[in-house]
Amino acid sequence: MKKIHFREWGIESPRYWGMLAVLAAVVAIAGFATLYMEHEGHWVTGMNNQIVWGIPHVFAIFLIVAASGALNVASIGSVFGKKVFKPLAPLSGLLAMTLLIGGLLVLVLDLGQPARLIVAMTTYNFKSIFAWNIYLYVGFLAIVAVYLFTMMERKAMGYTRSVGTFAFVWRLALTTGTGSIFGFLVARQGYDAAIMAPMFIIMSFAYGLAIYLLVLMFTFKTDGRELGDKLIARLKNLLGVFVAAVLYFTVVYHLTNLYGTENHAYEAFILRDGGIYTTLFWGGWILAGCLIPMGIIYHPALGKSRGALVAACSLVILGGFAAIYVIVIGGQAFPMAMFPDKTIIASGFYDGVNGDPLSYSPSLPEFLLGIGGIAVALLATLVAVRVLRFLPESLADDVADPHAAAKGA
Amino acid sequence: MSKQTDQGRRDFLSRAATAAAATTVAPGVFLHSVADAAPRAEPVTSKVRWGMLIDTTKCADGCTACVEACDVENGLDLIGKPEGASDAEWERQRPRWIREVKLKDNLTDRITTMPMLCQHCEFPPCVDVCPTGASFRRADGLVLVDRHTCIGCRYCMMACPYKARSFIHENVLLKSTAVPRGKGCVESCTFCVHRLDQGETTTACQDACSKDGHQAIIFGDLKDPNSAVSQAMSKYPTVEVRADLKLNTGVRYTGL
């Protein structure tokens, strides 16, 4: 097996700085949007006392979930001993960190009192999964940083497997914690389901890998580095399995709900009568997020095309946003079942009169804050691959996996 | 002669010292004694559990006396619609601690009118989920928010089965001294804690309901068998809203 060398991302300076400038501009706009929201208060957002979590939470949760999933490629290499994945690991660890930072920034900047972050870091209620998540998220950043160090520093390489295993277990706990934010909410019909935690884990596998693949293909193509077809085929098939698993968990979640009469109204809302939420469920979560990508991945001709793979990854990401939107906003828009055998026919404070959903129309500043989180993640990634050796010089099949290449030839 | 002068100076100095001591120490002593005298200086205990019984058969359709009284008592009426906000959005964003709901039974079409407010659960989900412990339950059963440690994450609002909590979406220009509030924190019904801590035993909503002659709200100590609320609860069948969650609410309803 040839030795694999890592090298900084070497695209021409003007192009590189141009990309950074665009991303920095997006971050700056998001910064102004955030200052505006903080200064005026949340009334300038579409969030209200009926729908309390909005677009910022959709972006934040998506990024946090994707972050833990992005680490999977590294885990497969060092925990499950698949040699071919090892050169892919540094970028995987890097994306896990940058996506998490982007997501956390969005989450924190949407707080009613963001300046009190220090309170959140020093005063804990350990019955709250949120409090645990603070440890899980910060701990994840630290552990992945050490994990990256063991990958990139020759003297520490002996520890890669043990640190990688620890990081893998930690990331499972992290996504369980994120899924449990909803799983533990007994009050609302759409949540309060133990399946939320494993479903979030499998979603993280798919979203994280889709983002990873896009970043890998982009950085390699722009820098003229070779990316072997066999390697891409392996990653692509892995994505297909993850997306199928997301579909499976989605089906089980809704079938379980459909069995119990108490959940029929909620299921009718999401699956049939929920307007935007129904559209996003079928068109976004199921069709764009699962069925079309699977069709592309397993199509005999399309499955071999890089362009089609880019489309599949992009659709998985869009479907992911739709899924999180349906879970976070749809779950709140459906009125709470306070009086199970009665219909609320009038209310002084929007209780879902006659079963009407609660209304939420996201505002521009909210979107800008969310997009800013993505821009921060990408900006940090592009800076890191430029200054440190995260990317292998070549991932041609005879370099990355000579054994497979020889067998195929 | 000189002796007399000395005596005069000594008297002056001693009186001045006494006066100085009195002016510096006395206010502290006075305040201390006032504080001692007021009931709020005593720590609350679990010997009391504040609770409320709402008789829905006495709650009048179309009456909003309790809602208006709550708004005035807790300064919610001081919060104005921000300039530029739409009326519809403002109605969704404004804080509300108590609201009227009208229900129709799905089987019998029977109509019930009743107020909904924080149910002051014994096992409040809002307290469970609060990451900083800002949501807390006081020994005497009140579920409150410490607005010094609330970071405004709204997880408590996601967790509350009664939609009882409100987030302050706007800058607060005017507020009552008894009920301070700030933008970016969550709040909800306190059972008029500022009254209870001064030794009063009624809430604003209860007073307003009684004043209008409905008497639909009875408030008091659930642990005192002789309190009006305990007496009424022992006489009539009462229910909890979402009893399935087993939160042991401090607010109970009859005729629901």
Side-chain angles (χ1 to χ4, degrees):
Chain A
M1 186 174 167
K2 284 184 196 165
K3 193 158 166 42
I4 291 174
H5 293 280
F6 287 83
R7 188 163 45 82
E8 295 87 348
W9 195 39
I11 66 164
E12 326 79 82
S13 275
R15 210 169 159 205
Y16 178 72
W17 287 106
M19 285 178 199
L20 286 200
V22 169
L23 288 172
V26 175
V27 173
I29 292 168
F32 282 119
T34 308
L35 281 176
Y36 171 64
M37 289 190 283
E38 293 309 333
H39 181 72
E40 288 289 335
H42 274 65
W43 75 267
V44 298
T45 73
M47 289 175 272
N48 50 54
N49 280 327
Q50 326 303 324
I51 305 266
V52 301
W53 283 355
I55 281 292
H57 301 81
V58 174
F59 276 87
I61 291 166
F62 178 85
L63 285 170
I64 290 167
V65 165
S68 57
L71 191 68
N72 257 20
V73 173
S75 301
I76 294 169
S78 47
V79 181
F80 299 102
K82 300 276 178 213
K83 270 201 175 131
V84 65
F85 282 84
K86 284 193 179 166
L88 303 168
L91 179 64
S92 162
L94 173 66
L95 275 174
M97 288 182 75
T98 55
L99 290 169
L100 186 66
I101 289 167
L104 286 181
L105 264 179
V106 177
L107 199 63
V108 164
L109 290 175
D110 177 70
L111 291 177
Q113 295 278 351
R116 290 189 187 164
L117 189 60
I118 190 73
V119 175
M121 307 291 278
T122 49
T123 320
Y124 290 105
N125 162 32
F126 284 110
K127 203 175 175 189
S128 168
I129 191 69
F130 253 26
W132 283 96
N133 282 347
I134 293 168
Y135 277 96
L136 287 169
Y137 296 160
V138 176
F140 183 78
L141 289 177
I143 292 163
V144 176
V146 174
Y147 187 22
L148 280 174
F149 179 77
T150 67
M151 288 177 206
M152 297 167 87
E153 168 58 50
R154 193 172 299 275
K155 283 177 202 154
M157 276 178 187
Y159 300 99
T160 306
R161 184 161 191 179
S162 43
V163 176
T165 308
F166 187 49
F168 178 66
V169 173
W170 194 277
R171 68 132 311 216
L172 290 180
L174 183 149
T175 329
T176 303
T178 309
S180 299
I181 291 173
F182 300 97
F184 287 180
L185 288 176
V186 293
R188 294 178 190 261
Q189 214 72 32
Y191 307 148
D192 187 25
I195 198 173
M196 284 284 178
M199 189 163 80
F200 268 61
I201 290 180
I202 204 66
M203 283 173 160
S204 81
F205 284 8
Y207 309 157
L209 184 56
I211 293 174
Y212 179 89
L213 266 166
L214 287 182
V215 173
L216 182 75
M217 288 192 282
F218 173 75
T219 47
F220 269 58
K221 192 170 169 113
T222 45
D223 201 17
R225 302 189 194 197
E226 231 182 303
L227 204 49
D229 283 334
K230 291 212 164 57
L231 185 78
I232 283 293
R234 286 184 85 138
L235 290 169
K236 181 204 73 171
N237 289 338
L238 199 59
L239 183 66
V241 172
F242 290 163
V243 170
V246 169
L247 187 61
Y248 167 76
F249 269 83
T250 310
V251 169
V252 171
Y253 167 60
H254 287 286
L255 278 182
T256 316
N257 266 352
L258 281 168
Y259 203 80
T261 310
E262 62 164 335
N263 295 317
H264 283 180
Y266 176 73
E267 286 302 317
F269 175 67
I270 295 294
L271 303 182
R272 195 186 63 205
D273 310 322
I276 177 77
Y277 307 106
T278 303
T279 309
L280 283 176
F281 176 79
W282 290 110
W285 188 341
I286 300 296
L287 195 65
C290 296
L291 294 179
I292 299 180
M294 279 166 69
I296 293 173
I297 288 166
Y298 294 115
H299 190 276
L302 284 177
K304 292 197 176 73
S305 144
R306 294 272 167 107
L309 182 57
V310 169
C313 290
S314 309
L315 284 170
V316 169
I317 292 167
L318 284 177
F321 272 106
I324 305 282
Y325 192 92
V326 171
I327 292 172
V328 176
I329 318 284
Q332 296 175 82
F334 181 72
M336 269 191 274
M338 267 181 280
F339 308 100
D341 50 354
K342 294 180 174 61
T343 304
I344 297 175
I345 54 172
S347 164
F349 205 41
Y350 303 91
D351 281 293
V353 173
N354 295 317
D356 287 344
L358 302 167
S359 110
Y360 168 66
S361 357
S363 69
L364 183 64
E366 290 170 78
F367 270 109
L368 293 177
L369 170 59
I371 291 166
I374 297 178
V376 165
L378 289 179
L379 190 67
T381 308
L382 293 192
V383 170
V385 294
R386 182 79 167 187
V387 297
L388 290 170
R389 293 171 182 171
F390 280 100
L391 302 173
E393 278 187 340
S394 166
L395 284 171
D397 285 328
D398 61 329
V399 181
D401 192 5
H403 183 64
K407 223 171 27 176
Chain B
M1 177 76 187
S2 72
K3 206 172 188 180
Q4 271 180 345
T5 312
D6 272 1
Q7 188 61 43
R9 194 172 61 195
R10 225 167 266 149
D11 281 352
F12 171 77
L13 284 174
S14 97
R15 276 180 202 155
T18 312
T23 46
T24 43
V25 178
V29 172
F30 177 71
L31 275 181
H32 188 66
S33 60
V34 167
D36 267 350
R40 65 176 165 177
E42 295 157 17
V44 293
T45 69
S46 56
K47 285 178 194 151
V48 175
R49 184 182 178 194
W50 296 109
M52 186 177 270
L53 177 68
I54 294 166
D55 186 343
T56 62
T57 59
K58 292 180 181 166
C59 180
D61 189 5
C63 170
T64 52
C66 57
V67 179
E68 283 151 23
C70 174
D71 280 359
V72 173
E73 178 77 21
N74 295 296
L76 294 165
D77 60 335
L78 300 174
I79 303 176
K81 180 172 80 108
E83 212 174 307
S86 80
D87 288 336
E89 195 56 10
W90 166 238
E91 283 303 319
R92 292 188 191 94
Q93 288 177 330
R94 65 181 303 170
R96 273 248 178 274
W97 288 12
I98 184 168
R99 63 191 191 272
E100 282 293 318
V101 293
K102 194 168 163 183
L103 311 170
K104 189 173 83 174
D105 192 287
N106 291 342
L107 185 69
T108 62
D109 285 355
R110 179 172 172 262
I111 303 285
T112 314
T113 319
M114 53 182 257
M116 276 300 288
L117 64 161
C118 171
Q119 306 281 301
H120 295 275
C121 314
E122 186 186 355
F123 306 107
C126 58
V127 171
D128 289 345
V129 301
C130 177
T132 64
S135 261
F136 69 103
R137 185 177 180 273
R138 223 168 69 155
D140 57 357
L142 304 185
V143 176
L144 303 171
V145 180
D146 177 348
R147 269 168 268 178
H148 294 288
T149 45
C150 172
I151 56 171
C153 73
R154 286 103 79 200
Y155 197 19
C156 57
M157 299 175 75
M158 293 290 283
C160 174
Y162 308 105
K163 210 159 81 56
R165 292 206 153 179
S166 287
F167 178 71
I168 301 302
H169 287 74
E170 52 285 312
N171 285 303
V172 177
L173 303 173
L174 285 170
K175 52 192 151 188
S176 138
T177 46
V179 189
R181 64 165 47 87
K183 177 181 72 177
C185 285
V186 175
E187 53 182 51
S188 57
C189 161
T190 63
F191 270 165
C192 291
V193 63
H194 53 285
R195 289 179 169 213
L196 302 179
D197 284 354
Q198 295 291 352
E200 291 180 55
T201 53
T202 62
T203 64
C205 54
Q206 173 195 19
D207 287 350
C209 191
S210 299
K211 200 174 148 212
D212 274 24
H214 303 304
Q215 318 267 344
I217 300 175
I218 309 173
F219 176 78
D221 178 8
L222 299 175
K223 286 190 172 169
D224 173 5
N226 298 315
S227 69
V229 69
S230 296
Q231 292 283 321
M233 277 202 194
S234 63
K235 218 183 300 176
Y236 309 110
T238 66
V239 293
E240 296 176 61
V241 176
R242 292 226 56 185
D244 59 315
L245 297 175
K246 300 207 184 311
L247 304 175
N248 189 12
T249 55
V251 178
R252 304 290 171 109
Y253 293 84
T254 64
L256 179 61

